[in-house]
Amino acid sequence: MTEHTTRVDVGIVGGGPAGLMTALLLKRRGISAAVIETRTKDTIHRTQRAGILETATVNMLVDAEVGSRVLTDGHEHEGTVLSFDGEQHRIDFQALVGRSVWLYPQNEVFYDLANAWECEGGEIHWAVTDTQVHGVETAAPRISFTDAAGQTRSIAADLIVGTDGSRSMCRKLIPESVRTDHFISYPFAWFGILCEAPPTAPELIYANSELGFALISQRNESVQRMYFQCDPDTDPESWSEDAIFDHIQAVLGTEGGVQLKRGPIIEKTVLPFRSYVCDPLSHGRLVLAGDAGHTVPPTGAKGLNLALADVRALVPRVEEFITELRASESDRAGSDRSGPEGETPDGEAPSVETPEPLRRYSRTALDRVWKAQNFSYWATNLLHRQPEENSFTHRRRRGEFDAITGSVHGQAYFADSYTGWSD
Ligand SMILES: Cc1cc2nc3c(=O)[nH]c(=O)nc-3n(C[C@H](O)[C@H](O)[C@H](O)COP(=O)(O)OP(=O)(O)OC[C@H]3O[C@@H](n4cnc5c(N)ncnc54)[C@H](O)[C@@H]3O)c2cc1C
Protein backbone atom coordinates (compact mmCIF):
# COMPACT_ATOMS: atom_id res chain seq x y z
CA MET A 1 0.00 0.00 0.00
CA THR A 2 1.43 3.45 -0.86
CA GLU A 3 1.88 6.07 1.83
CA HIS A 4 -0.41 9.14 1.68
CA THR A 5 1.43 12.38 2.41
CA THR A 6 -0.14 15.73 3.25
CA ARG A 7 1.73 19.03 3.62
CA VAL A 8 0.81 21.60 6.30
CA ASP A 9 2.60 24.37 8.14
CA VAL A 10 2.33 22.63 11.53
CA GLY A 11 1.87 18.94 12.39
CA ILE A 12 0.40 18.26 15.84
CA VAL A 13 0.85 15.00 17.79
CA GLY A 14 -1.97 14.60 20.34
CA GLY A 15 -5.59 15.74 20.05
CA GLY A 16 -6.19 16.68 23.69
CA PRO A 17 -7.11 20.23 24.73
CA ALA A 18 -3.60 21.62 24.10
CA GLY A 19 -3.30 20.10 20.60
CA LEU A 20 -6.80 21.05 19.44
CA MET A 21 -6.61 24.60 20.81
CA THR A 22 -3.23 25.07 19.09
CA ALA A 23 -4.67 23.85 15.78
CA LEU A 24 -7.70 26.16 16.00
CA LEU A 25 -5.80 29.29 16.99
CA LEU A 26 -3.18 28.72 14.28
CA LYS A 27 -5.93 28.36 11.68
CA ARG A 28 -7.39 31.70 12.83
CA ARG A 29 -3.99 33.23 11.95
CA GLY A 30 -3.90 31.62 8.50
CA ILE A 31 -1.49 28.84 9.49
CA SER A 32 -2.49 25.33 8.40
CA ALA A 33 -2.29 22.44 10.86
CA ALA A 34 -3.11 18.73 11.01
CA VAL A 35 -3.65 16.69 14.19
CA ILE A 36 -3.19 12.99 14.95
CA GLU A 37 -4.60 11.28 18.04
CA THR A 38 -4.24 7.69 19.30
CA ARG A 39 -7.64 7.47 20.99
CA THR A 40 -11.13 7.77 19.53
CA LYS A 41 -13.11 10.97 19.97
CA ASP A 42 -15.72 9.07 21.96
CA THR A 43 -13.16 7.56 24.36
CA ILE A 44 -11.69 10.97 25.19
CA HIS A 45 -15.17 12.46 25.58
CA ARG A 46 -16.04 9.76 28.14
CA THR A 47 -12.82 10.15 30.19
CA GLN A 48 -13.17 12.23 33.36
CA ARG A 49 -10.25 14.49 34.22
CA ALA A 50 -9.93 18.12 35.31
CA GLY A 51 -12.93 20.31 36.06
CA ILE A 52 -11.81 23.78 37.18
CA LEU A 53 -11.13 26.46 34.57
CA GLU A 54 -9.37 29.73 35.29
CA THR A 55 -10.94 32.93 33.94
CA ALA A 56 -8.23 33.17 31.25
CA THR A 57 -9.07 29.62 30.10
CA VAL A 58 -12.78 30.46 29.84
CA ASN A 59 -11.96 33.68 27.94
CA MET A 60 -9.80 31.67 25.57
CA LEU A 61 -12.65 29.24 24.80
CA VAL A 62 -15.07 32.12 24.25
CA ASP A 63 -12.62 34.09 22.09
CA ALA A 64 -11.82 30.98 20.02
CA GLU A 65 -15.57 30.72 19.24
CA VAL A 66 -15.76 27.04 20.13
CA GLY A 67 -19.32 27.36 21.36
CA SER A 68 -20.88 28.95 24.38
CA ARG A 69 -21.52 25.77 26.41
CA VAL A 70 -18.84 26.76 28.91
CA LEU A 71 -20.99 29.81 29.71
CA THR A 72 -24.37 28.08 29.63
CA ASP A 73 -23.48 24.71 31.20
CA GLY A 74 -20.48 25.77 33.30
CA HIS A 75 -20.80 27.16 36.82
CA GLU A 76 -18.95 30.24 37.97
CA HIS A 77 -17.36 29.85 41.42
CA GLU A 78 -16.51 33.14 43.08
CA GLY A 79 -14.73 31.43 45.95
CA THR A 80 -13.73 28.15 47.55
CA VAL A 81 -13.74 26.69 51.05
CA LEU A 82 -10.65 25.50 52.95
CA SER A 83 -11.38 23.22 55.91
CA PHE A 84 -8.89 22.16 58.60
CA ASP A 85 -9.94 19.74 61.36
CA GLY A 86 -13.59 20.52 60.51
CA GLU A 87 -13.16 24.31 60.75
CA GLN A 88 -14.12 26.06 57.53
CA HIS A 89 -12.84 29.27 55.92
CA ARG A 90 -14.14 30.69 52.66
CA ILE A 91 -11.65 32.30 50.26
CA ASP A 92 -13.58 34.97 48.34
CA PHE A 93 -11.81 35.13 44.96
CA GLN A 94 -13.90 37.99 43.59
CA ALA A 95 -13.43 40.20 46.65
CA LEU A 96 -9.70 39.42 46.86
CA VAL A 97 -8.51 39.47 43.23
CA GLY A 98 -11.60 40.22 41.10
CA ARG A 99 -11.52 36.86 39.29
CA SER A 100 -13.53 33.61 39.48
CA VAL A 101 -12.99 30.03 38.35
CA TRP A 102 -15.51 27.98 36.37
CA LEU A 103 -16.59 24.42 36.91
CA TYR A 104 -16.76 22.87 33.42
CA PRO A 105 -15.34 19.38 32.90
CA GLN A 106 -12.27 18.84 30.74
CA ASN A 107 -14.02 16.19 28.64
CA GLU A 108 -16.56 18.84 27.60
CA VAL A 109 -13.77 21.34 26.85
CA PHE A 110 -12.24 18.64 24.64
CA TYR A 111 -15.58 17.93 22.95
CA ASP A 112 -16.20 21.62 22.16
CA LEU A 113 -12.71 22.00 20.70
CA ALA A 114 -12.92 18.77 18.66
CA ASN A 115 -16.34 19.70 17.25
CA ALA A 116 -15.15 23.20 16.34
CA TRP A 117 -12.04 21.82 14.58
CA GLU A 118 -14.06 19.23 12.65
CA CYS A 119 -16.82 21.73 11.73
CA GLU A 120 -14.18 24.02 10.25
CA GLY A 121 -12.88 21.14 8.13
CA GLY A 122 -9.64 20.80 10.11
CA GLU A 123 -7.58 17.68 9.37
CA ILE A 124 -7.63 15.23 12.27
CA HIS A 125 -6.93 11.49 12.36
CA TRP A 126 -8.45 9.67 15.36
CA ALA A 127 -7.35 6.25 16.63
CA VAL A 128 -3.98 6.25 14.87
CA THR A 129 -1.20 3.77 15.63
CA ASP A 130 2.57 3.58 15.01
CA THR A 131 3.13 7.33 15.52
CA GLN A 132 6.67 8.35 14.64
CA VAL A 133 8.19 11.80 14.34
CA HIS A 134 11.16 12.26 12.02
CA GLY A 135 13.73 14.97 11.36
CA VAL A 136 12.94 17.44 14.17
CA GLU A 137 16.55 18.69 14.00
CA THR A 138 16.14 19.44 10.29
CA ALA A 139 14.07 21.96 8.31
CA ALA A 140 11.88 19.12 7.02
CA PRO A 141 10.25 17.38 10.01
CA ARG A 142 7.56 14.78 9.38
CA ILE A 143 5.02 12.66 11.28
CA SER A 144 4.27 9.13 10.09
CA PHE A 145 1.43 6.93 11.38
CA THR A 146 -1.15 4.33 10.47
CA ASP A 147 -4.71 5.64 10.37
CA ALA A 148 -7.81 3.91 11.74
CA ALA A 149 -8.42 2.25 8.36
CA GLY A 150 -4.91 0.76 8.28
CA GLN A 151 -3.55 3.23 5.73
CA THR A 152 0.04 4.41 6.31
CA ARG A 153 0.25 8.18 6.19
CA SER A 154 2.71 10.99 6.57
CA ILE A 155 2.33 14.66 7.45
CA ALA A 156 5.16 16.89 6.25
CA ALA A 157 5.40 20.26 8.04
CA ASP A 158 7.71 23.13 8.96
CA LEU A 159 7.16 22.55 12.66
CA ILE A 160 5.96 19.71 14.88
CA VAL A 161 4.00 20.50 18.06
CA GLY A 162 4.11 17.70 20.65
CA THR A 163 0.93 17.84 22.72
CA ASP A 164 0.93 14.12 23.40
CA GLY A 165 0.37 14.19 27.15
CA SER A 166 2.39 13.12 30.16
CA ARG A 167 3.83 9.97 28.53
CA SER A 168 4.98 12.06 25.56
CA MET A 169 7.04 10.33 22.88
CA CYS A 170 7.82 13.76 21.35
CA ARG A 171 9.60 14.86 24.53
CA LYS A 172 12.14 12.06 24.07
CA LEU A 173 13.16 13.58 20.72
CA ILE A 174 14.88 16.38 22.64
CA PRO A 175 18.30 14.78 23.23
CA GLU A 176 19.29 14.07 26.84
CA SER A 177 22.36 16.23 26.31
CA VAL A 178 20.04 19.21 25.74
CA ARG A 179 17.10 18.33 28.00
CA THR A 180 16.83 18.63 31.78
CA ASP A 181 14.10 16.52 33.39
CA HIS A 182 13.05 18.12 36.69
CA PHE A 183 11.03 15.50 38.58
CA ILE A 184 9.65 14.59 42.00
CA SER A 185 7.06 12.04 43.06
CA TYR A 186 4.88 12.13 46.20
CA PRO A 187 4.25 9.40 48.77
CA PHE A 188 0.46 9.63 48.31
CA ALA A 189 -2.22 9.58 45.60
CA TRP A 190 -5.86 10.66 45.17
CA PHE A 191 -8.70 8.16 45.33
CA GLY A 192 -11.30 9.75 43.02
CA ILE A 193 -14.98 8.86 42.79
CA LEU A 194 -17.93 9.91 40.68
CA CYS A 195 -21.25 9.38 42.46
CA GLU A 196 -24.86 9.92 41.57
CA ALA A 197 -25.86 12.54 44.13
CA PRO A 198 -26.75 16.23 44.16
CA PRO A 199 -24.05 18.77 45.15
CA THR A 200 -22.93 18.63 48.79
CA ALA A 201 -21.95 22.31 48.66
CA PRO A 202 -22.19 25.15 46.11
CA GLU A 203 -18.38 25.59 45.95
CA LEU A 204 -15.39 23.24 46.19
CA ILE A 205 -14.23 22.24 49.68
CA TYR A 206 -10.52 21.43 50.15
CA ALA A 207 -10.34 19.65 53.52
CA ASN A 208 -7.56 18.41 55.76
CA SER A 209 -7.55 16.62 59.09
CA GLU A 210 -5.30 14.14 60.86
CA LEU A 211 -6.76 11.56 58.44
CA GLY A 212 -5.33 13.47 55.47
CA PHE A 213 -6.90 15.28 52.53
CA ALA A 214 -10.34 15.25 50.89
CA LEU A 215 -11.89 17.35 48.12
CA ILE A 216 -15.61 17.83 47.59
CA SER A 217 -16.18 18.89 44.01
CA GLN A 218 -19.07 18.75 41.56
CA ARG A 219 -19.77 17.68 37.98
CA ASN A 220 -23.43 18.61 37.46
CA GLU A 221 -26.76 18.66 39.31
CA SER A 222 -26.88 14.86 39.63
CA VAL A 223 -23.25 13.63 39.51
CA GLN A 224 -20.57 14.59 42.01
CA ARG A 225 -16.76 14.27 42.02
CA MET A 226 -14.94 13.65 45.30
CA TYR A 227 -11.37 12.69 46.18
CA PHE A 228 -9.48 11.60 49.25
CA GLN A 229 -5.82 10.97 49.95
CA CYS A 230 -4.68 7.36 49.69
CA ASP A 231 -1.57 5.24 49.32
CA PRO A 232 -0.41 5.10 45.64
CA ASP A 233 -0.74 1.27 45.69
CA THR A 234 -4.39 1.30 46.80
CA ASP A 235 -6.71 -1.09 44.95
CA PRO A 236 -9.90 0.94 44.24
CA GLU A 237 -12.01 -2.20 44.73
CA SER A 238 -10.72 -2.61 48.29
CA TRP A 239 -12.91 0.30 49.46
CA SER A 240 -16.68 -0.18 49.86
CA GLU A 241 -19.10 2.69 49.15
CA ASP A 242 -19.88 3.15 52.85
CA ALA A 243 -16.20 3.14 53.83
CA ILE A 244 -15.45 5.80 51.18
CA PHE A 245 -18.23 8.17 52.27
CA ASP A 246 -17.54 7.59 56.01
CA HIS A 247 -13.88 8.42 55.48
CA ILE A 248 -14.56 11.62 53.49
CA GLN A 249 -17.13 12.67 56.10
CA ALA A 250 -14.56 12.07 58.87
CA VAL A 251 -12.01 14.34 57.11
CA LEU A 252 -14.71 17.03 56.78
CA GLY A 253 -15.67 16.62 60.44
CA THR A 254 -18.63 14.71 61.80
CA GLU A 255 -19.94 17.26 64.32
CA GLY A 256 -22.26 19.82 62.69
CA GLY A 257 -20.85 21.44 59.53
CA VAL A 258 -21.05 19.93 56.09
CA GLN A 259 -22.95 16.68 55.64
CA LEU A 260 -22.00 14.71 52.52
CA LYS A 261 -24.71 13.96 49.96
CA ARG A 262 -24.23 10.25 49.22
CA GLY A 263 -25.29 8.21 46.20
CA PRO A 264 -24.27 5.22 44.07
CA ILE A 265 -20.59 5.35 43.08
CA ILE A 266 -20.22 4.99 39.30
CA GLU A 267 -16.44 5.37 38.95
CA LYS A 268 -13.40 4.80 41.19
CA THR A 269 -9.83 5.70 40.20
CA VAL A 270 -6.46 6.13 41.90
CA LEU A 271 -4.46 9.08 40.57
CA PRO A 272 -0.71 9.13 41.37
CA PHE A 273 1.02 12.45 42.06
CA ARG A 274 4.07 13.74 40.21
CA SER A 275 5.68 17.07 39.47
CA TYR A 276 7.68 17.21 36.25
CA VAL A 277 9.14 19.91 34.01
CA CYS A 278 11.03 19.42 30.74
CA ASP A 279 13.48 22.23 29.99
CA PRO A 280 13.62 23.45 27.24
CA LEU A 281 10.21 23.10 25.57
CA SER A 282 11.63 23.69 22.10
CA HIS A 283 14.35 21.97 20.10
CA GLY A 284 15.02 22.37 16.39
CA ARG A 285 11.63 22.19 14.67
CA LEU A 286 9.84 20.63 17.67
CA VAL A 287 7.96 22.36 20.49
CA LEU A 288 6.14 20.80 23.44
CA ALA A 289 2.99 22.14 25.10
CA GLY A 290 0.73 20.95 27.92
CA ASP A 291 1.35 17.73 29.83
CA ALA A 292 3.96 16.69 27.25
CA GLY A 293 6.22 19.37 28.75
CA HIS A 294 5.15 19.34 32.39
CA THR A 295 2.82 17.71 34.88
CA VAL A 296 1.58 18.97 38.23
CA PRO A 297 -0.22 17.23 41.07
CA PRO A 298 -3.92 18.06 40.76
CA THR A 299 -4.28 19.90 44.11
CA GLY A 300 -4.02 23.38 42.60
CA ALA A 301 -6.27 22.54 39.58
CA LYS A 302 -3.49 23.74 37.30
CA GLY A 303 -2.90 20.93 34.73
CA LEU A 304 -5.47 21.82 32.09
CA ASN A 305 -5.15 25.56 32.69
CA LEU A 306 -1.39 25.39 32.29
CA ALA A 307 -1.76 23.42 29.05
CA LEU A 308 -3.92 26.18 27.57
CA ALA A 309 -1.66 28.92 28.96
CA ASP A 310 1.18 27.26 26.98
CA VAL A 311 -0.95 27.54 23.85
CA ARG A 312 -1.50 31.27 24.49
CA ALA A 313 2.26 31.74 24.68
CA LEU A 314 2.99 29.42 21.75
CA VAL A 315 0.65 30.53 18.97
CA PRO A 316 2.04 34.08 18.44
CA ARG A 317 5.60 32.70 18.43
CA VAL A 318 4.67 30.05 15.82
CA GLU A 319 3.12 32.78 13.68
CA GLU A 320 6.33 34.81 14.00
CA PHE A 321 8.45 31.79 13.03
CA ILE A 322 6.28 30.87 10.01
CA THR A 323 6.21 34.49 8.80
CA GLU A 324 10.03 34.74 9.01
CA LEU A 325 10.36 31.38 7.27
CA ARG A 326 8.10 32.39 4.38
CA ALA A 327 9.98 35.69 4.01
CA SER A 328 13.33 33.90 3.85
CA GLU A 329 11.93 31.38 1.35
CA SER A 330 10.71 34.13 -0.95
CA ASP A 331 14.10 35.91 -0.65
CA ARG A 332 15.79 32.67 -1.62
CA ALA A 333 13.41 32.15 -4.53
CA GLY A 334 14.36 35.66 -5.75
CA SER A 335 18.09 34.90 -5.59
CA ASP A 336 19.93 32.52 -7.94
CA ARG A 337 20.59 29.86 -5.22
CA SER A 338 19.27 26.53 -6.38
CA GLY A 339 17.34 24.03 -4.20
CA PRO A 340 14.67 24.77 -1.61
CA GLU A 341 15.53 25.28 2.09
CA GLY A 342 15.52 21.93 3.76
CA GLU A 343 17.62 20.24 1.08
CA THR A 344 21.38 20.04 0.61
CA PRO A 345 22.66 19.51 -2.95
CA ASP A 346 22.66 15.74 -2.32
CA GLY A 347 18.96 15.85 -1.25
CA GLU A 348 19.49 15.41 2.52
CA ALA A 349 17.82 17.76 5.01
CA PRO A 350 20.53 19.71 6.88
CA SER A 351 20.26 20.22 10.63
CA VAL A 352 18.86 23.53 11.88
CA GLU A 353 19.14 25.61 15.03
CA THR A 354 16.07 26.17 17.21
CA PRO A 355 14.43 29.33 15.78
CA GLU A 356 14.58 32.30 18.17
CA PRO A 357 10.75 32.76 18.43
CA LEU A 358 10.46 29.13 19.59
CA ARG A 359 13.25 29.59 22.15
CA ARG A 360 11.33 32.60 23.45
CA TYR A 361 8.16 30.51 23.70
CA SER A 362 10.01 28.02 25.89
CA ARG A 363 11.32 30.72 28.23
CA THR A 364 7.93 32.49 28.56
CA ALA A 365 5.97 29.29 29.10
CA LEU A 366 8.43 27.92 31.65
CA ASP A 367 8.19 31.09 33.77
CA ARG A 368 4.48 30.40 34.27
CA VAL A 369 5.01 26.64 34.58
CA TRP A 370 7.36 27.13 37.54
CA LYS A 371 4.90 29.48 39.27
CA ALA A 372 2.21 26.83 38.85
CA GLN A 373 4.61 24.08 39.98
CA ASN A 374 5.34 26.06 43.12
CA PHE A 375 1.66 26.64 43.91
CA SER A 376 0.71 23.01 43.20
CA TYR A 377 3.59 21.70 45.35
CA TRP A 378 2.85 24.15 48.18
CA ALA A 379 -0.92 23.49 48.21
CA THR A 380 -0.27 19.73 48.05
CA ASN A 381 2.01 19.82 51.08
CA LEU A 382 -0.30 22.18 52.98
CA LEU A 383 -3.34 19.98 52.50
CA HIS A 384 -1.97 16.40 52.67
CA ARG A 385 -0.84 14.24 55.51
CA GLN A 386 2.80 13.13 55.18
CA PRO A 387 3.64 9.46 55.91
CA GLU A 388 6.00 10.48 58.76
CA GLU A 389 3.47 12.89 60.28
CA ASN A 390 3.37 13.35 64.05
CA SER A 391 1.67 15.85 66.37
CA PHE A 392 4.36 18.49 65.65
CA THR A 393 4.09 18.30 61.86
CA HIS A 394 0.28 18.33 61.99
CA ARG A 395 0.18 21.37 64.31
CA ARG A 396 2.84 23.13 62.20
CA ARG A 397 0.66 22.66 59.11
CA ARG A 398 -2.28 24.00 61.09
CA GLY A 399 -0.16 27.09 61.83
CA GLU A 400 0.55 27.51 58.12
CA PHE A 401 -3.13 27.06 57.30
CA ASP A 402 -4.08 29.73 59.89
CA ALA A 403 -1.48 32.10 58.43
CA ILE A 404 -3.27 31.79 55.05
CA THR A 405 -6.87 31.89 56.17
CA GLY A 406 -6.36 34.39 59.02
CA SER A 407 -4.81 37.13 56.91
CA VAL A 408 -6.17 38.99 53.91
CA HIS A 409 -2.67 38.81 52.39
CA GLY A 410 -2.51 35.04 52.84
CA GLN A 411 -5.99 34.63 51.37
CA ALA A 412 -5.05 36.90 48.44
CA TYR A 413 -1.97 34.74 47.71
CA PHE A 414 -4.19 31.66 47.53
CA ALA A 415 -6.87 33.42 45.44
CA ASP A 416 -4.36 34.96 43.01
CA SER A 417 -2.59 31.64 42.44
CA TYR A 418 -5.72 29.47 42.28
CA THR A 419 -7.55 31.72 39.81
CA GLY A 420 -4.43 31.84 37.65
CA TRP A 421 -2.58 35.18 37.94
CA SER A 422 -3.02 37.68 35.14
CA ASP A 423 -1.10 36.97 31.89
C1 LIG B 1 -6.93 10.79 35.60
C2 LIG B 1 -6.53 12.25 35.53
C3 LIG B 1 -7.20 13.19 36.31
C4 LIG B 1 -6.83 14.54 36.27
N1 LIG B 1 -7.48 15.44 37.06
C5 LIG B 1 -7.11 16.73 37.00
C6 LIG B 1 -7.75 17.69 37.80
O1 LIG B 1 -8.64 17.39 38.59
N2 LIG B 1 -7.35 19.00 37.67
C7 LIG B 1 -6.35 19.38 36.79
O2 LIG B 1 -6.05 20.56 36.65
N3 LIG B 1 -5.73 18.48 36.03
C8 LIG B 1 -6.09 17.18 36.12
N4 LIG B 1 -5.46 16.29 35.35
C9 LIG B 1 -4.45 16.81 34.43
C10 LIG B 1 -5.13 17.38 33.16
O3 LIG B 1 -6.14 16.50 32.77
C11 LIG B 1 -4.05 17.57 32.11
O4 LIG B 1 -3.15 18.55 32.60
C12 LIG B 1 -4.58 17.96 30.74
O5 LIG B 1 -5.25 16.86 30.15
C13 LIG B 1 -3.44 18.42 29.81
O6 LIG B 1 -3.93 18.52 28.49
P1 LIG B 1 -2.99 18.09 27.26
O7 LIG B 1 -3.75 18.40 26.03
O8 LIG B 1 -1.64 18.65 27.46
O9 LIG B 1 -2.78 16.52 27.45
P2 LIG B 1 -3.84 15.33 27.29
O10 LIG B 1 -5.19 15.77 27.67
O11 LIG B 1 -3.25 14.17 28.04
O12 LIG B 1 -3.85 15.04 25.75
C14 LIG B 1 -2.78 14.36 25.11
C15 LIG B 1 -3.37 13.52 23.99
O13 LIG B 1 -2.30 12.98 23.21
C16 LIG B 1 -2.68 11.67 22.81
N5 LIG B 1 -1.44 10.93 22.47
C17 LIG B 1 -0.53 10.42 23.34
N6 LIG B 1 0.45 9.82 22.65
C18 LIG B 1 0.17 9.97 21.33
C19 LIG B 1 0.82 9.55 20.12
N7 LIG B 1 1.99 8.88 20.17
N8 LIG B 1 0.24 9.85 18.94
C20 LIG B 1 -0.93 10.55 18.90
N9 LIG B 1 -1.59 10.96 20.01
C21 LIG B 1 -1.05 10.69 21.22
C22 LIG B 1 -3.42 11.13 24.02
O14 LIG B 1 -4.27 10.06 23.66
C23 LIG B 1 -4.17 12.35 24.52
O15 LIG B 1 -5.50 12.42 24.03
C24 LIG B 1 -5.78 14.95 35.40
C25 LIG B 1 -5.12 14.00 34.62
C26 LIG B 1 -5.47 12.65 34.68
C27 LIG B 1 -4.71 11.65 33.86
Side-chain angles (χ1 to χ4, degrees):
M1 207 188 289
T2 53
E3 184 175 276
H4 281 247
T5 301
T6 51
R7 178 83 181 72
V8 287
D9 296 323
V10 177
I12 299 176
V13 182
L20 290 167
M21 184 62 99
T22 302
L24 274 162
L25 296 188
L26 288 176
K27 187 159 185 268
R28 305 275 189 273
R29 291 170 184 243
I31 296 166
S32 61
V35 184
I36 64 158
E37 166 56 54
T38 47
R39 294 184 290 167
T40 66
K41 184 179 175 186
D42 187 51
T43 302
I44 306 178
H45 189 208
R46 281 188 285 105
T47 305
Q48 292 289 328
R49 281 198 176 183
I52 289 291
L53 308 186
E54 297 169 357
T55 309
T57 302
V58 173
N59 291 344
M60 213 175 161
L61 292 169
V62 172
D63 292 347
E65 296 169 5
V66 298
S68 56
R69 287 202 314 143
V70 63
L71 299 178
T72 54
D73 299 4
H75 297 275
E76 183 177 4
H77 286 194
E78 295 187 353
T80 195
V81 173
L82 301 181
S83 162
F84 208 104
D85 291 338
E87 199 180 300
Q88 294 194 9
H89 299 265
R90 180 167 187 269
I91 308 287
D92 187 334
F93 299 149
Q94 274 296 336
L96 289 157
V97 294
R99 292 191 297 271
S100 299
V101 293
W102 292 73
L103 185 88
Y104 187 64
Q106 172 170 338
N107 53 327
E108 301 303 337
V109 172
F110 158 79
Y111 199 55
D112 293 344
L113 290 168
N115 288 342
W117 182 242
E118 287 179 331
C119 283
E120 293 184 21
E123 181 177 345
I124 184 157
H125 301 271
W126 302 105
V128 307
T129 50
D130 310 323
T131 306
Q132 286 187 52
V133 177
H134 314 265
V136 296
E137 291 178 331
T138 76
R142 184 172 67 86
I143 304 168
S144 66
F145 60 100
T146 305
D147 72 13
Q151 171 71 54
T152 53
R153 289 182 176 272
S154 174
I155 295 171
D158 293 311
L159 175 69
I160 305 298
V161 177
T163 48
D164 50 343
S166 58
R167 298 208 174 96
S168 173
M169 50 115 28
C170 291
R171 180 198 304 149
K172 298 189 184 94
L173 300 173
I174 302 179
E176 280 179 18
S177 56
V178 175
R179 190 179 87 217
T180 306
D181 294 304
H182 303 278
F183 174 77
I184 55 165
S185 62
Y186 297 77
F188 38 74
W190 274 8
F191 194 121
I193 61 161
L194 275 180
C195 68
E196 290 175 336
T200 291
E203 294 175 338
L204 269 60
I205 304 174
Y206 287 85
N208 177 276
S209 79
E210 286 187 349
L211 293 170
F213 170 83
L215 170 60
I216 313 302
S217 179
Q218 301 101 24
R219 270 299 177 260
N220 55 44
E221 280 66 30
S222 55
V223 175
Q224 303 311 306
R225 189 86 164 131
M226 300 179 197
Y227 299 94
F228 63 93
Q229 177 178 351
C230 69
D231 188 273
D233 298 326
T234 302
D235 171 8
E237 296 315 315
S238 65
W239 282 73
S240 70
E241 281 198 9
D242 282 347
I244 289 171
F245 287 122
D246 289 348
H247 179 80
I248 297 173
Q249 185 66 65
V251 177
L252 279 175
T254 45
E255 313 232 324
V258 176
Q259 290 302 307
L260 273 187
K261 298 271 182 15
R262 302 179 180 214
I265 293 178
I266 52 177
E267 189 181 299
K268 296 190 224 176
T269 44
V270 170
L271 177 64
F273 272 37
R274 281 167 304 163
S275 295
Y276 169 75
V277 179
C278 173
D279 187 354
L281 297 173
S282 55
H283 179 70
R285 294 291 183 89
L286 171 73
V287 290
L288 305 177
D291 276 17
H294 41 78
T295 44
V296 286
T299 320
K302 285 279 163 269
L304 171 60
N305 293 298
L306 209 47
L308 294 185
D310 280 358
V311 177
R312 284 201 296 283
L314 175 63
V315 167
R317 299 291 78 82
V318 173
E319 183 181 30
E320 197 180 330
F321 159 63
I322 295 286
T323 305
E324 285 172 7
L325 188 66
R326 296 291 170 258
S328 73
E329 282 168 356
S330 80
D331 284 353
R332 210 175 13 258
S335 76
D336 58 0
R337 256 191 65 186
S338 56
E341 195 207 15
E343 265 185 32
T344 55
D346 59 4
E348 296 232 326
S351 62
V352 288
E353 293 288 309
T354 307
E356 182 49 31
L358 305 181
R359 287 184 196 272
R360 257 186 288 134
Y361 155 69
S362 178
R363 290 194 292 269
T364 312
L366 285 175
D367 283 348
R368 188 184 184 95
V369 166
W370 279 112
K371 274 206 295 190
Q373 287 289 1
N374 176 57
F375 178 66
S376 304
Y377 173 89
W378 170 79
T380 297
N381 285 309
L382 174 69
L383 292 165
H384 290 73
R385 181 187 163 82
Q386 302 293 335
E388 305 297 315
E389 190 137 319
N390 61 22
S391 64
F392 176 86
T393 47
H394 183 71
R395 280 301 286 124
R396 188 210 64 77
R397 280 194 304 107
R398 174 66 198 241
E400 187 176 5
F401 182 85
D402 289 345
I404 294 297
T405 57
S407 138
V408 73
H409 304 294
Q411 291 178 26
Y413 170 72
F414 189 94
D416 194 35
S417 306
Y418 192 84
T419 59
W421 310 283
S422 41
D423 270 345

